[in-house]
């Protein structure tokens, strides 16, 4: 039963991966401009050997081959873990640049997603069973969830960073600091982290809270809740069962919204010049760095697919109907 479920999911994810990675390879090559011209412009002092140097770079990057040959080389390199060399930051390997940037994404995104999901569901559940609190919280939830990530980030920058001067407004740490595990660096890093985190956390929290609030109201009005009430069950017990049932659509919502969350994370990093994948991707696009753009998108694709796969597995364990549907019992 579980093997059938996993087989089907793995096939779906492999097909999705193939098309997503193919698009990832194609899109940078349709961008206007020529990355070689940008690279050669940086070597303006080497006028005499410029033609030979350009020929060398074209051959090194494989850009003098046909589209189909480049595509095949891309897949071969992908399976060996070779993402190529960055054109913009030549001769740094793309994998080295991405591995440094990805740490900032994990530190920023993971706590924002998990904490907003937990607190959003709790606040939504309270709002769903208490009319007075609902009247206060609902406008706040709607304001938060309707705010674009980048817009809310700009508001936080202005209010908490510029006007009140509470937090730094750009970068991951001060330019005078060197990364280390010292107490002063950790405090400095945290001060730079708080505003990007709050931007992501707040916008996501509004969406989770509204979803849970609506689900709680629906579950509290369902037949099983009324039946439990008729049997004399306490309101606390009824709310407990309603919350458990309302959590299932929220888990599905988490899987469906991962793409939007990742996009929000990218724009938030650009606002704060936070050196994660979003900021790296922006610099790669501006410099028409095919290989760095491909590497960033590839990492994002793999991250989203893995996260969705984990949510699918989690859903199978928390909702027995999914397991039974593959055994023909439902």
């Amino acid at each position: 039963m579980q093997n059938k479920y996993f087989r089907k999911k793995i096939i779906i994810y492999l097909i999705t991966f193939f098309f997503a990675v193919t698009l990832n390879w194609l899109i940078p090559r349709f961008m206007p401009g020529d990355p070689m011209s940008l690279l050669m412009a940086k070597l303006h002092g080497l006028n005499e050997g410029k033609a030979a140097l350009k020929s060398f770079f074209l051959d090194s990057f494989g850009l003098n081959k046909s589209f189909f040959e480049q595509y095949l080389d891309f897949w071969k390199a992908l399976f060996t873990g070779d993402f190529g060399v960055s054109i913009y930051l030549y001769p740094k390997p793309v994998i080295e640049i991405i591995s440094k940037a990805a740490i900032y994404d994990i530190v920023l995104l993971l706590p924002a997603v998990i904490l907003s999901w937990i607190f959003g569901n709790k606040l939504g559940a309270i709002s769903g069973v208490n009319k007075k609190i609902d009247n206060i919280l609902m406008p706040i939830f709607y304001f938060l969830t309707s705010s674009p990530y980048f817009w809310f980030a700009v508001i936080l920058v202005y209010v908490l960073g510029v006007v009140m001067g509470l937090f730094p407004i750009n970068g991951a740490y001060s330019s005078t600091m060197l990364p280390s595990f010292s107490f002063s660096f950790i405090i400095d890093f945290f001060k730079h982290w708080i505003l990007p985190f709050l931007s992501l956390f707040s916008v996501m929290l509004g969406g989770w809270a509204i979803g849970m609030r609506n689900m709680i109201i629906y579950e509290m009005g369902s037949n099983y809740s009324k039946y439990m009430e008729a049997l004399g069950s306490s309101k606390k017990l009824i709310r407990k069962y309603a919350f458990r049932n309302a959590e299932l659509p929220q888990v599905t919502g988490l899987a469906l919204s991962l793409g939007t969350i990742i996009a929000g994370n990218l724009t938030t990093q650009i606002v704060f010049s936070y050196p994660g994948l979003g900021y790296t991707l922006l610099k790669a696009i501006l410099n028409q760095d095919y290989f760095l753009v491909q590497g960033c998108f590839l990492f994002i694709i793999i991250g989203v697919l893995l996260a969705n796969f984990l949510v699918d597995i989690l859903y199978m364990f928390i909702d027995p109907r999914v397991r039974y549907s593959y055994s023909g019992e439902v």
Side-chain angles (χ1 to χ4, degrees), residues 16-52:
T16 309
F17 178 75
F18 172 77
F19 283 106
V21 170
T22 301
L23 279 174
N24 172 39
W25 179 83
L26 275 174
I27 288 172
R29 282 160 178 78
F30 285 113
M31 289 194 305
D34 176 16
M36 276 301 109
S37 300
L38 286 174
L39 181 59
M40 296 309 296
K42 295 177 184 174
L43 306 170
H44 51 80
L46 301 172
N47 292 328
E48 291 182 3
K50 225 170 185 178

Side-chain angles (χ1 to χ4, degrees), residues 24 28 31 88 97-98 101 262 266-267 269-270 274-298 300:
N24 172 39
M31 289 194 305
Y88 159 58
I97 299 167
I98 289 178
I262 295 293
L266 299 182
T267 54
Q269 286 181 12
I270 291 169
Y274 203 75
L277 281 177
Y279 192 58
T280 305
L281 182 61
L282 174 70
K283 288 193 290 187
I285 291 171
L286 290 176
N287 288 281
Q288 297 171 347
D289 190 337
Y290 291 173
F291 304 99
L292 192 52
V293 171
Q294 282 172 195
C296 288
F297 274 124
L298 184 66
I300 292 167

Side-chain angles (χ1 to χ4, degrees), residues 184-306:
S184 57
F185 178 77
I186 292 170
I187 293 294
D188 186 68
F189 182 86
F190 179 75
K191 284 181 181 175
H192 284 78
W193 172 84
I194 196 74
L195 283 185
F197 167 78
L198 276 180
S199 303
L200 294 168
F201 173 82
S202 305
V203 175
M204 284 189 267
L205 181 136
W208 299 131
I210 291 172
M212 176 54 81
R213 179 253 188 195
N214 293 339
M215 286 307 303
I216 281 287
I217 291 173
Y218 172 79
E219 294 293 337
M220 292 295 285
S222 63
N223 288 336
Y224 77 87
S225 294
K226 290 176 182 173
Y227 183 65
M228 288 178 71
E229 194 174 358
L231 291 176
S233 300
S234 66
K235 285 191 178 299
K236 185 180 177 183
L237 183 64
I238 298 171
R239 282 201 295 268
K240 184 180 173 184
Y241 278 99
F243 184 76
R244 282 185 180 178
N245 287 327
E247 274 186 322
L248 294 176
Q250 292 292 85
V251 175
T252 309
L254 177 62
L256 292 174
S257 59
L258 277 173
T260 312
I261 292 170
I262 295 293
N265 176 46
L266 299 182
T267 54
T268 300
Q269 286 181 12
I270 291 169
V271 172
F272 290 101
S273 301
Y274 203 75
L277 281 177
Y279 192 58
T280 305
L281 182 61
L282 174 70
K283 288 193 290 187
I285 291 171
L286 290 176
N287 288 281
Q288 297 171 347
D289 190 337
Y290 291 173
F291 304 99
L292 192 52
V293 171
Q294 282 172 195
C296 288
F297 274 124
L298 184 66
F299 191 87
I300 292 167
I301 289 166
I302 292 172
V304 171
L305 289 179
L306 274 178

